[in-house]
């Protein structure tokens, strides 16, 4: 139901392009409602497992929902709703005709991905996701966007290919693609090593972990604003989700050195992304590099490997999704309003878009990890995990990353207060776009004030249960 | 939610809500904005009054909201927080009146007053914080809320000052955060407790505790402008006068000093801190700050810069009072928290008046200004003498207790620091007075605005006069019940009781 | 019973009256110091003196406790206090008259304010019954007098005033330290209690030296006298008239009130003080003869008199018994000093007006200050050197260091290059990196299982 509704929406939008906006919004609301129902169910009854078509594992397609996937669904729903509202004002009629079906399609893929219980399913949804995303990037038109899209397509296909290879290897070895069954059967052998190596590498590429991040900034920066928001907030997170799932369930045999390696790459990403973000002269490029840095944070949880660490990383994911969406939306508004996003010339624009700047600022607070915001809670948890496990150096990376992002956020915000010269001609920005950005930023802030509820949610079905024993 | 649990929240909301509403007010609705501001300030004052009464009679005000699974957001009114909350509430009212007069007709007022209210909210939150994480939360909020105020003018200089401010404070906040988390992993609690909650920890962890102490002091130390972390303060002078006044007297600098008080008393416990051997270095840092700040102030021609360096020096008194371990010095430090606020805000109001009415920014332009603006300069004079510590003004009381406390604790060297600082204070303040009252006047003022028969607008004149009167009253009536001095006595008996 | 009620009623009335009266002695001048409050009054300065005059007519000693004031304060008057008060009232009346006649009917408004402030301080000091009150009022008096000197004076007086101010601040610091020592010794800061407590205290020598140094600076006792001749040289007779009564006499009063005289015996210190007093007298005589200028005469007379006082003080410290027997004479000495100086000033003023002495060319030494007078400016110069010279140099060094750090940008540019090249050969690099990571992972897994 969660999957089918956006799919149906996509079809509907495709069939009746004139009514795309209304249909899209209606189905977005529908999905949110469905997720809410599912959430209620999970909270009441614990983790859920459905066998689609009544076949059941190991042969059929299983859907599985625990706290982790529920949370991902929810964040997708919230961000998706925001993006839908935003897009309703953003695209003109032509673009809208293409956008809405693709976007609904992507949403369906995402939901399916988060609910999948076997790795082949994961592959399929991942592939669907990638294709939809590439199409969306290309939507902007123009040489930049096309290059970006092509590069993205290439990367996406490569990553999926590696993933598929490893799925085949695993299926060959153990005769199943169901995660739970695999977790029971898996045992060290060269085939498994190769499979896991391939799989991880593919996913890392898709998650854009440093130094495999190079494709991300151009793709994200050249896409239309809602699409950039979508990519940054949700699409890259999907592959991280897969990695996390596999890591927690199938990889318990992975050793500490590997975890440290991932952490190291994460740390490098935090610093590299931060520094590169500072060097950018274009707002959207800057935000895109900040995504690279923020993704690095997620990987810091691997060496920490404690419940607090995982929770922190997940919380980072949530708040980053909301905050980054808000940021890209704000950037979109600015771009729409002033016709450019050169940081040095921002002052004339931002002063006349107070709501947008507020949204940017609030999102920035979360990205920097200053209280009160989701980013702060996440940072607190990660820091606590780092110190508790005696690996304080990760904590220092966290703090440094925060300082770097503070620097660039305020570099932008500072222009909101300078006295502007002559204002140049501008295009009006629809109210819905401004408020959507602000609402997303508020979500990021509220995540910091009401942290206990999502944290409880994460515990459902004990996704990190294995760690307690280990 | 019962009344006792809701009151701290109400105190917070009385400035938060007007602030949020003001953000969305159109620029032209001056009357609505003004009345919202004043109503919020007055309401806060009333609520704080109720709170004082309640705390004195042993009521327990505490708001507790879940933040993380085992950590709550706690707002609690104890004797110490009430001291600071009262100061904030009183001076906020004065500053609001002043700011309304000061910014009349200038652009972006809704934004300004919105952040202004937010800033006070954060300050009150810092004051009411009942555990370290709540403190951190509001402390960072304060950083964020103050930035727009500092860059309000929007000039290139302002932006640079804002950047400096951020670099310092965000870095300081990061240190504070590390310290806090570290402490949490050691103890599992962050609740402020009278006489600290760390003394039960194992002997082997004392080295770590010292490092954490450094982190926890360095964080607020940035805002309290302890040398060498003071660099942002003189630069932040580009802010409009009401902001500087609030910054120096209540909000940022005081929040830092207050944080240090909290860390020393309610996290470590003064006796435990002394046994760790961290108080003497702290006292030395404070002493160096006092002397260094005064030395730098001597050579500033810009009036507000001179005042800023004077703040650097004066706020360190508070830290000194705490670091000289002993009940009497503590009274001195705590009472200076209030006294310095009242005196310094007077001085900044006056400096703002000079700038706004006559366009005077430099000491060298102040010749004979006492003739043109007698009331402003009377208030300024009172403030200056208070700062030097001339009896019977407020500054004398603080210095008296600081000196006496140092003698009491057997740290005679502090006396010399106090004497040297008084001397330097006199050396950089009295020439201003001399110029203002006795030197031959300049032909024209840099940029004079006429206010008819009055020397300046009433909204600009009333606040400094009121605070100057307060300076006098705080000194003269120091022994009256409910004076800050008596309240500091009250707090100290709690901290040092057996 | 009725008598009792009557009695207590009287007492209550009495108490209220004396509170009111005592408070108004310094309070009324303070109030009138506000121009707005006295603008409708004729002769505000005389009115300000009225409460003191009334107090003088009250035959008995009165005193009140003001626990809410400052750190717990009090005001009161006793026999000697009355004497001093009488002197002050008389001299101030004279000064007011002179002030008015000097400038005709239109007295500078500001000058009147300073005048009244100083007056309030002066009267308050005499009435103070404990150290803090004394200190507070004497601060008011001191700064007020400084303002009086500066506001009404010529360049010469201003110079005197500046020197006076420096001494005033230093003196207040010393006295503040002394106060702290006293407060650390005893809870009660009444004169009598302090005298008794300090007599037994181990830190009495320190206390004694601080008090002496402080008040010596205020009174212009040799060798801290530089400002006195300068001030006497000023042209305002009203000011010079007060010089003896206000700073000098009150400072000597302070010495008598604060020190545990007649209770402690400190022979060594006493001897030194005695010696200083004698030198002071000699100096006064020598300098007086050297700079034989009629106008300067009161200055050197004052220095001589204070020298005499100091000598007596030294004697008193040497042999407490002498002081206990003759100590009360000190008050008379102070009073007569105040009067004496005033009389001298008036006489000389009259003489000058009458005969118009040809002004002798002033000696150079008079204007250029001796070396020991130059140290405050030397300190300032040194501090300026510190602030202007050394700090910027340090800062420059720091800047240079930062500048070197800026060159970090060079390798940041290299990093930029890396990033760009990463994006250029997308396909090749992707493949390469992927393979590399696959190999790493596989190695890692192999590492686990082996």
């Amino acid at each position: 139901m969660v999957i089918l509704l956006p799919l149906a929406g996509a079809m509907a939008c495709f069939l009746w392009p004139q009514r795309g906006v209304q249909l899209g919004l209606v189905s977005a609301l529908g999905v949110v409602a469905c997720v809410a129902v599912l959430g209620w169910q999970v909270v009441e009854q614990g983790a859920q497992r459905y066998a689609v078509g009544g076949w059941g594992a190991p042969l059929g397609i299983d859907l599985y929902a625990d706290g982790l996937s529920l949370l991902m669904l929810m964040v997708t729903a919230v961000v998706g709703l925001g993006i839908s509202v935003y897009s309703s004002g953003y695209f003109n009629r032509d673009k809208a005709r293409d956008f809405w079906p693709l976007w609904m399609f992507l949403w369906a893929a995402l939901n399916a991905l988060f609910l999948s219980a076997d790795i082949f399913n994961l592959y399929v949804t991942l592939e669907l996701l990638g294709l939809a995303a590439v199409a969306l990037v290309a939507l902007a038109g123009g040489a930049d966007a096309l290059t970006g899209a092509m590069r993205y397509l290439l990367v996406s296909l490569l990553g999926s290919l590696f993933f598929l290879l490893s799925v085949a290897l695993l299926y060959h070895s153990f005769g199943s693609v169901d995660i739970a069954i695999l977790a029971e059967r898996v045992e060290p052998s060269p085939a498994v090593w190769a499979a896991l190596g391939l799989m991880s590498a593919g996913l890392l590429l898709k998650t854009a972990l440093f130094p495999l991040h190079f494709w991300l900034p151009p793709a994200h920066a050249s896409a239309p604003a809602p699409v950039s928001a979508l990519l940054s907030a949700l699409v890259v997170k999907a592959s991280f989700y897969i990695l996390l799932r596999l890591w927690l369930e199938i990889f318990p045999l992975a050793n500490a050195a590997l975890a440290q390696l991932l952490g190291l790459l994460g740390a490098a990403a935090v610093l590299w992304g931060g520094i590169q973000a500072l060097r950018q002269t274009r707002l959207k490029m800057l935000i895109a590099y900040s995504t690279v840095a923020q993704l690095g944070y997620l990987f810091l949880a691997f060496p920490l490997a404690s419940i607090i660490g995982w929770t922190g990383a997940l919380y980072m994911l949530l708040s980053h999704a909301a905050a980054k969406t808000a940021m890209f939306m704000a950037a979109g508004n600015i771009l729409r309003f002033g016709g450019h996003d050169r940081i040095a010339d921002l002052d004339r624009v931002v002063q006349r878009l107070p709501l947008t700047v507020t949204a940017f600022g609030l999102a920035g607070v979360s990205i920097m990890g200053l209280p009160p915001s989701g980013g702060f809670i996440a940072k607190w948890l990660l820091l606590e995990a780092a110190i508790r496990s005696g690996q304080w150096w990760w904590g220092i990376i966290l703090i440094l990353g925060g300082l770097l992002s503070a620097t660039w956020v305020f570099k932008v915000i500072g222009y909101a207060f300078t006295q502007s010269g002559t204002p140049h001609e501008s295009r009006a920005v629809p109210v819905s776009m401004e408020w959507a950005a602000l609402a997303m930023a508020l979500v990021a802030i509220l995540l910091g004030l009401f942290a206990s509820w999502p944290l409880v949610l994460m515990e459902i079905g004990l996704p990190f249960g294995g760690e307690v024993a280990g | 939610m019962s009344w006792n649990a809701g009151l701290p929240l109400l105190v917070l909301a009385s400035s938060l809500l007007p602030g949020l509403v003001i953000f969305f007010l159109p620029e032209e609705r001056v009357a609505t904005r003004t009345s919202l501001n004043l109503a919020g300030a007055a309401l806060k004052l009333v609520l704080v009054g109720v709170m004082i009464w309640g705390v004195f009679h042993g009521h327990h005000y505490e708001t507790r909201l879940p933040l993380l699974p085992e950590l709550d957001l706690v707002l609690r009114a104890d004797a110490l927080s009430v001291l600071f909350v009262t100061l904030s509430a009183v001076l906020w009212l004065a500053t609001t009146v002043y700011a309304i007069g000061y910014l009349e007709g200038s652009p972006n007022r809704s934004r300004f007053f919105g952040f202004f209210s937010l800033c006070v909210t954060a300050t009150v939150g810092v004051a009411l914080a009942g555990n370290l994480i709540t403190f951190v939360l509001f402390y960072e909020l304060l950083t964020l809320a103050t930035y727009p105020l500092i860059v309000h003018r929007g000039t290139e200089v302002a932006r640079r000052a804002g950047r400096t401010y951020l670099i310092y404070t965000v870095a300081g906040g990061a240190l504070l955060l590390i310290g806090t988390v570290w402490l949490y992993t050691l103890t599992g609690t962050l609740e402020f407790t009278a006489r600290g909650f760390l003394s039960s920890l194992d002997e082997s962890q004392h080295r770590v505790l010292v490092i954490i102490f450094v982190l926890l002091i360095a964080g607020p130390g940035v805002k309290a402008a302890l040398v060498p972390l003071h660099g942002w303060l003189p630069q932040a002078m580009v802010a409009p006068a009401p902001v500087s006044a609030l910054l120096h007297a209540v909000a940022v600098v005081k929040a830092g000093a207050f944080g240090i008080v909290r860390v020393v008393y309610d996290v470590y416990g003064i006796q435990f801190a002394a046994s760790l051997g961290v108080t003497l270095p702290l006292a030395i840092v404070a002493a160096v700050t006092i002397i260094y700040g005064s030395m730098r102030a001597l050579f500033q021609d810009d009036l507000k810069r001179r005042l800023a360096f004077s703040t650097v020096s004066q706020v360190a008194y508070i830290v000194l009072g705490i670091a000289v371990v002993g009940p009497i010095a503590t009274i001195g430090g705590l009472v200076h928290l209030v006294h310095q606020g009242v005196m310094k805000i007077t001085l900044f109001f006056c400096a703002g008046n000079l700038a706004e009415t006559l366009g005077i920014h430099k000491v060298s332009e102040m010749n004979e200004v006492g003739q043109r603006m007698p009331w402003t300069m009377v208030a300024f004079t009172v403030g200056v003498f208070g700062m030097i510590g001339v009896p019977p003004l407020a500054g004398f009381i603080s210095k008296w207790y600081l000196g006496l406390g140092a003698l009491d604790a057997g740290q005679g060297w502090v006396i010399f620091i106090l004497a040297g600082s008084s001397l330097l204070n006199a050396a950089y303040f009295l020439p201003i007075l001399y110029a203002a009252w006795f030197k031959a006047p300049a032909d024209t003022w840099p940029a004079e605005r006429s206010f008819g028969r009055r020397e300046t607008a009433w909204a600009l004149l009333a606040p400094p006069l009121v605070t100057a009167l307060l300076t006098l009253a705080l000194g003269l009536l120091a022994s009256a019940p409910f004076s800050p001095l008596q309240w500091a006595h009250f707090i100290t008996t709690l901290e040092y009781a057996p | 019973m009725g008598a009792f009620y009557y009695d207590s009623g009287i007492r209550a009335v009495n108490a209220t009256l004396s509170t009111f009266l005592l408070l108004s002695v310094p309070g009324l001048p303070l109030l009138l110091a506000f121009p707005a409050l006295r603008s409708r009054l004729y002769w505000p300065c005389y009115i300000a003196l009225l409460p003191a005059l009334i107090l003088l007519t009250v035959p008995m000693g009165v005193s009140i406790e003001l626990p809410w004031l400052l750190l717990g304060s009090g005001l009161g008057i006793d026999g000697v206090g009355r004497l001093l008060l009488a002197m002050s009232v008389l001299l101030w009346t004279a000064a007011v008259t002179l002030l008015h006649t000097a400038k005709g009917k239109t007295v500078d408004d500001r000058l009147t304010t300073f005048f009244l402030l100083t007056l309030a301080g002066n009267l308050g000091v005499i009435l103070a019954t404990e150290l803090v009150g004394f200190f507070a009022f004497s601060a008011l008096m001191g700064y007020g007098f400084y303002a009086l000197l500066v506001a009404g004076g010529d360049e010469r007086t201003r110079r005197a005033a500046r020197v006076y101010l420096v001494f005033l601040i230093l003196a207040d610091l010393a006295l503040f330290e002394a106060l702290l020592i006293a407060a650390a010794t005893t809870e009660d800061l009444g004169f009598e209690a302090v005298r008794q407590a300090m007599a037994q205290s181990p830190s009495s020598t320190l206390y004694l030296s601080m008090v002496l140094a402080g008040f010596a600076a205020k009174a212009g006792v040799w060798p801290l006298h530089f400002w006195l001749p300068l001030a006497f040289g000023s042209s305002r007779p009203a000011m010079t008239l007060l010089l003896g009564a206000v700073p000098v006499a009150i400072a000597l009063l302070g010495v008598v009130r604060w020190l545990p005289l007649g209770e402690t015996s400190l022979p060594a210190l006493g001897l030194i003080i005695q010696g200083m007093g004698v030198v002071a007298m000699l100096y006064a005589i020598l300098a007086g003869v050297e700079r034989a200028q009629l106008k300067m005469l009161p200055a050197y007379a004052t220095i001589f008199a204070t020298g005499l006082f100091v000598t007596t003080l030294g004697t008193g410290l040497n042999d407490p018994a002498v002081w206990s027997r003759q100590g009360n004479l000190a008050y008379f000495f102070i009073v007569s000093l105040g009067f004496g100086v005033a009389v001298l000033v008036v006489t000389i003023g009259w003489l000058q007006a009458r005969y118009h002495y040809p002004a002798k060319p002033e000696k150079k030494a008079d204007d250029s200050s001796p070396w020991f007078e130059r140290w405050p400016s030397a300190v300032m110069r040194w501090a300026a050197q510190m602030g202007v010279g050394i700090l910027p140099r340090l800062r420059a060094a720091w800047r240079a260091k930062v500048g070197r750090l800026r060159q970090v940008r060079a390798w940041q540019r290299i990093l930029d290059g890396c990033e760009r090249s990463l994006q250029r050969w997308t396909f090749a690099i992707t493949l390469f990196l992927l393979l590399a990571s696959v190999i790493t992972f596989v190695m890692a897994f192999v590492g686990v299982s082996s």
Side-chain angles (χ1 to χ4, degrees), chain B residues 88-158:
Chain B
S88 320
V90 171
L91 295 189
W92 184 40
L93 182 61
T95 317
T96 306
V97 173
Y98 187 79
I100 290 168
Y102 190 86
L103 291 174
E104 213 176 294
S106 71
N108 293 328
R109 268 177 296 167
S110 282
R111 185 183 82 193
F112 178 86
F113 281 106
F115 281 115
F116 203 66
S117 305
L118 216 57
C119 184
V120 171
T121 310
T123 311
V124 171
V126 164
L128 288 176
N131 60 14
L132 206 50
I133 189 175
T134 315
F135 178 80
V136 172
L137 210 138
F138 283 107
Y139 186 82
E140 297 285 9
L141 190 64
L142 184 61
T143 307
L144 296 175
T146 321
Y147 172 77
L149 295 178
I150 291 180
V151 297
H152 180 76
R153 285 263 168 77
T155 53
E156 192 50 40
V157 187

Side-chain angles (χ1 to χ4, degrees), chain C residues 10-21:
Chain C
I10 285 278
R11 225 176 285 152
V13 169
N14 257 347
T16 322
L17 264 183
S18 52
T19 308
F20 180 72
L21 196 58

Side-chain angles (χ1 to χ4, degrees), chain B residues 50-290:
Chain B
V50 172
M51 206 182 234
I52 294 177
W53 182 86
V55 169
F56 191 70
H57 288 86
H59 286 256
H60 201 65
Y61 298 115
E62 185 176 277
T63 311
R64 199 171 267 278
L65 305 166
L67 184 70
L68 282 171
E70 278 146 37
L71 274 176
D72 288 342
L73 192 85
V74 182
L75 294 171
R76 187 189 306 134
D78 58 12
L80 183 58
S81 51
V82 163
L83 185 77
F84 192 31
V85 169
T86 314
L87 176 75
S88 320
V90 171
L91 295 189
W92 184 40
L93 182 61
T95 317
T96 306
V97 173
Y98 187 79
I100 290 168
Y102 190 86
L103 291 174
E104 213 176 294
S106 71
N108 293 328
R109 268 177 296 167
S110 282
R111 185 183 82 193
F112 178 86
F113 281 106
F115 281 115
F116 203 66
S117 305
L118 216 57
C119 184
V120 171
T121 310
T123 311
V124 171
V126 164
L128 288 176
N131 60 14
L132 206 50
I133 189 175
T134 315
F135 178 80
V136 172
L137 210 138
F138 283 107
Y139 186 82
E140 297 285 9
L141 190 64
L142 184 61
T143 307
L144 296 175
T146 321
Y147 172 77
L149 295 178
I150 291 180
V151 297
H152 180 76
R153 285 263 168 77
T155 53
E156 192 50 40
V157 187
R159 218 157 60 85
R160 219 172 310 131
R163 212 177 59 200
T164 317
Y165 168 73
L166 275 176
I167 291 172
Y168 274 91
T169 47
V170 172
L175 293 183
L176 182 64
L177 182 66
I178 296 179
T180 308
V181 177
W182 201 343
L183 202 63
Y184 180 61
T185 56
L186 286 184
T187 58
T189 176
L190 290 174
E191 210 78 3
F192 289 145
T193 324
R195 295 192 285 287
F197 55 81
L198 297 180
S199 45
S200 57
L201 279 182
D202 192 49
E203 188 84 28
S204 62
Q205 291 186 314
H206 284 188
R207 271 240 322 279
V208 176
L209 284 182
V210 171
I211 300 173
I212 297 179
F213 187 84
V214 173
L215 287 174
L216 288 184
I217 294 295
V222 171
K223 281 205 177 140
L226 288 179
V227 169
L229 308 170
H230 66 286
W232 61 274
L233 188 60
Q235 286 202 33
M237 288 302 65
V238 291
V243 177
S244 312
L246 202 69
L247 222 71
H248 283 252
V250 197
V252 177
V253 179
K254 277 306 162 53
F258 184 78
I260 294 177
V261 174
R262 275 286 195 212
V263 168
V264 174
Y265 284 113
D266 292 345
V267 175
Y268 277 76
I270 183 75
Q271 304 295 354
F272 182 61
S275 73
L276 282 179
V278 288
T279 46
L280 187 65
L282 185 59
I284 291 172
V285 168
V288 169
T289 308
I290 289 175

Side-chain angles (χ1 to χ4, degrees), chain B residues 255-490:
Chain B
F258 184 78
I260 294 177
V261 174
R262 275 286 195 212
V263 168
V264 174
Y265 284 113
D266 292 345
V267 175
Y268 277 76
I270 183 75
Q271 304 295 354
F272 182 61
S275 73
L276 282 179
V278 288
T279 46
L280 187 65
L282 185 59
I284 291 172
V285 168
V288 169
T289 308
I290 289 175
I291 297 299
Y292 178 82
S294 304
M295 295 280 277
R296 290 301 306 278
L298 266 177
F299 306 104
Q300 307 300 332
D301 188 31
D302 190 311
L303 181 59
K304 280 175 83 180
R305 261 181 92 82
R306 193 177 287 202
L307 293 181
F309 274 113
S310 147
T311 304
V312 171
S313 154
Q314 292 279 337
V315 169
Y317 276 33
I318 303 170
V319 182
L320 186 67
I322 293 150
V324 173
V325 182
I328 302 178
T330 304
I331 295 176
L334 291 180
V335 88
H336 199 57
L337 190 85
V338 176
H339 288 174
Q340 192 268 352
V342 175
M343 294 186 292
K344 193 38 80 64
I345 210 167
T346 311
L347 295 181
F348 269 106
F349 282 157
C350 294
N353 278 359
L354 295 179
E356 192 63 359
T357 315
L358 302 177
I360 293 176
H361 296 282
K362 292 199 156 76
V363 176
S364 52
E365 295 165 344
M366 284 179 69
N367 292 354
E368 191 78 315
V369 75
Q371 203 76 288
R372 168 69 176 76
M373 301 180 71
W375 286 108
T376 305
M377 285 321 290
V378 164
F380 192 83
T381 309
V382 170
V384 160
F385 277 120
M387 281 287 171
I388 299 175
V390 172
L393 302 173
F396 170 71
I397 304 288
S398 348
K399 270 192 189 159
W400 173 265
Y401 275 90
L402 284 175
L404 209 55
L407 278 184
D408 184 57
Q411 308 213 28
W413 58 276
V414 171
I415 302 269
F416 292 100
I417 299 292
L418 289 180
S421 153
S422 290
L423 198 61
L424 287 166
N425 273 336
Y428 64 77
F429 271 137
L430 291 182
I432 303 180
L433 292 189
Y434 181 75
W437 291 111
F438 302 122
K439 270 195 181 164
D443 297 333
T444 53
W445 305 108
E448 185 165 0
R449 274 168 64 191
S450 175
F451 288 91
R453 273 185 62 234
R454 278 169 292 142
E455 62 183 75
T456 186
W458 75 266
L460 293 183
L461 194 54
L465 284 178
V466 169
T467 49
L469 263 182
L470 257 170
T471 308
L472 188 64
L474 286 177
L476 272 181
L477 306 181
S479 305
F482 286 102
S483 75
L485 181 64
Q486 297 307 314
W487 198 262
H489 269 288
F490 179 53

